[in-house]
Amino acid sequence: MGWIPLPVGVENFEDLIQTGYYFVDKTLFIRELIDMKGKVNLFTRPRRFGKTLNMSMLRYFFEMGKADNAELFQGMKIMDAGEEYLAHMGKYPVISISLKSMKQLTYDDAFYCLQEELAREFKRHDELLPRLLYEEDREKYLRFIGRKAETKEYLDSLKFLSECLFQCYGRKAIILIDEYDVPLENAYFSGFYDKMVSVIRALFESALKTNDNLEFAVITGCLRISKESIFTGLNNLKIMSITSRTYAEHFGFTPEEVEQILRDYGLEDNLKIVKQWYDGYRFGESEVYNPWSVINYVDSCYHDKKAFAKPYWSNTSSNSIVKNLIEQADISLKQEIERLIEGGTIEKPIHEDITYDDMNSTQDNLWNFLFFTGYLKKISERQEGETIYMEMAIPNSEVRYVYKNAVLRWFEERTEKKELKPLYESLLNGKADELAEILSENLMETISFYDYQESYYHGFLAGMLKNIGNYIVQSNRESGNGRPDILVRYPSVRGKAVIIEIKVSKTYQGMEEKCDEALNQIEEQKYEEALRQEGYRDILKYGVAFYRKECMVKLAE
């Protein structure tokens, strides 16, 4: 086949089909939704796993009156599912809103975005206006279009719109609410969570709990927010999280779908790298790839079939939860993060009834957030009494990149806030023992993700020395016959220069030998020669050895 454009960032089903983008057929989602007959269906999946496109697909399938959308579904699986399913096509009024734009720093700005979204949806159904029986309903409808309704009117706006639709068409409405938890996550991190919860709760209660004009509803989000905070008394709510076996294959790409995509684009040889970077999720018992990243990766291979894999998902998702975890980490939690980054697993109790308010109450809640938002995957689970314990790991290389970057940023921020004058003074004054003690203390606070390789310690030490006042810090700079690990020098040759060579010991007892090995390398490779030629006379030479969180430093005599 020729190159079919990939739908990078395309979330409107009609645009995707009519423009001729590549489409992975998820239309059997419609069949399962009809079969299961859920009144209010909440689907929670990580960001960028196809929720918005699926919601758009539902709208174009079920919506009546706008146009004959059957042609959009020609050749798709739902068309062969049977007449009992096609009988639902184009038969319902549909209310469709997305809350994904409600990411403002203040409550007023976020509420304004809600007003805008509702105004667009009321305007989309403006054919109702001349058909409404009562003048007060028409006036209220116009207030929503003009964004002039009172605050309390917005709280039952979806219920009011469904009443208007029933009045005109005699059919109950399907309500689609996409990314319902975005305003809650944003409000939590921006400081107005309680206020936003009240609005979303009232909006949902009126539309989903006490609405006689509701056929059924589909809600999507990243997290299941506890019924007590949002879905109060909503007994008809069915929740399909990433632990549910139903609907598991409809969000994200299955292995078979990914293999087909790669075949279609002549990229079969790239399966191993795609699997390493973008596979690893498990929804229910189904293996799932990140669809956003797969599409972006395949698109990047247009000119170069051997294009490097990149962390596409990490560049779109909010990583505040990972940052929160790392900032709060004590020593035991740091060890768990290290174990995860190195490819190991952890076991934690898992529960789905959480709120953003719970995030910082216990470390277990943070692990829950990481699991349900796609930063961890299920390896196995067991039940002990009333508690379910989940063994979890980082899903793939792309998510591991998120953790590593979060750790590096955290370390840089911590280092910038530290009082490091004693470190600098000991380095410049030849106090090797004092230098080793300070470095060991700081190592205890860090998180390693290189399995204690030399590159980890190199980055650690270079980061600690980054702000050493008027001195220039250079890593792996050409000097003499080789490259010393770190050079610290005063801009003027009248000042001091410091040569640092780093070694890693396999045992605590072998640290001194490694220090001597480092000092010998400095001499054998003549690292100081270039400095002497420049005019430096006051040169300090350090051999630094590391073993896990321990450090030893020796100064050349």
Side-chain angles (χ1 to χ4, degrees), residues 352-458:
E352 298 190 34
D353 278 327
I354 50 178
T355 70
Y356 282 98
D357 246 2
D358 295 332
M359 186 186 296
N360 296 322
S361 59
T362 69
Q363 288 178 353
D364 283 346
N365 280 336
L366 265 177
W367 292 120
N368 272 264
F369 273 84
L370 289 165
F371 173 65
F372 287 107
T373 51
Y375 292 99
L376 292 170
K377 68 173 179 179
K378 181 180 81 170
I379 300 296
S380 64
E381 60 184 328
R382 64 182 177 86
Q383 188 163 8
E384 188 176 299
E386 298 174 352
T387 304
I388 295 174
Y389 289 88
M390 192 85 72
E391 183 187 9
M392 298 176 286
I394 292 175
N396 51 44
S397 295
E398 181 174 42
V399 180
R400 187 169 288 108
Y401 173 90
V402 175
Y403 281 88
K404 287 182 177 182
N405 265 21
V407 169
L408 288 172
R409 282 197 302 272
W410 167 81
F411 178 65
E412 287 175 3
E413 290 169 5
R414 288 286 294 267
T415 300
E416 287 170 3
K417 293 174 184 176
K418 274 184 171 291
E419 175 49 66
L420 294 174
K421 191 175 179 181
L423 171 71
Y424 305 149
E425 288 178 349
S426 61
L427 178 79
L428 297 172
N429 294 320
K431 297 179 179 178
D433 291 343
E434 190 175 304
L435 180 60
E437 186 177 338
I438 295 170
L439 290 175
S440 293
E441 286 176 1
N442 281 276
L443 271 172
M444 291 297 293
E445 298 182 7
T446 65
I447 301 171
S448 164
F449 48 76
Y450 289 114
D451 198 20
Y452 300 111
Q453 298 171 19
E454 188 174 310
S455 54
Y456 161 62
Y457 295 111
H458 190 128

Side-chain angles (χ1 to χ4, degrees), residues 51-96:
K51 298 188 297 294
T52 299
L53 180 58
N54 273 352
M55 293 288 263
S56 178
M57 178 181 73
L58 294 181
R59 177 166 80 83
Y60 282 103
F61 182 85
F62 287 110
E63 190 159 48
M64 66 188 301
K66 302 294 180 182
D68 182 6
N69 290 325
E71 63 181 28
L72 296 177
F73 293 88
Q74 290 306 312
M76 295 185 187
K77 295 173 183 176
I78 189 63
M79 302 303 284
D80 298 323
E83 184 55 38
E84 65 267 37
Y85 302 104
L86 298 182
H88 293 273
M89 182 183 282
K91 293 296 190 290
Y92 302 91
V94 176
I95 299 169
S96 177

Side-chain angles (χ1 to χ4, degrees), residues 139 337 423:
E139 290 175 358
I337 296 172
L423 171 71

Side-chain angles (χ1 to χ4, degrees), residues 218-234:
V218 179
I219 309 165
T220 70
C222 193
L223 284 170
R224 167 182 170 175
I225 306 302
S226 72
K227 294 171 78 169
E228 288 68 32
S229 67
I230 295 297
F231 303 110
T232 308
L234 200 61

Side-chain angles (χ1 to χ4, degrees), residues 191-254:
F192 52 90
Y193 181 74
D194 290 342
K195 208 169 180 183
M196 185 55 70
V197 164
S198 297
V199 170
I200 301 300
R201 182 195 296 126
L203 185 70
F204 283 17
E205 276 189 13
S206 63
L208 308 176
K209 178 185 173 184
T210 57
N211 188 357
D212 293 333
N213 299 301
L214 173 68
E215 181 67 26
F216 68 84
V218 179
I219 309 165
T220 70
C222 193
L223 284 170
R224 167 182 170 175
I225 306 302
S226 72
K227 294 171 78 169
E228 288 68 32
S229 67
I230 295 297
F231 303 110
T232 308
L234 200 61
N235 298 322
N236 56 0
L237 178 69
K238 292 180 71 173
I239 300 169
M240 279 66 67
S241 75
I242 61 174
T243 63
S244 306
R245 298 192 180 195
T246 53
Y247 301 95
E249 71 276 16
H250 301 312
F251 297 86
F253 293 160
T254 65

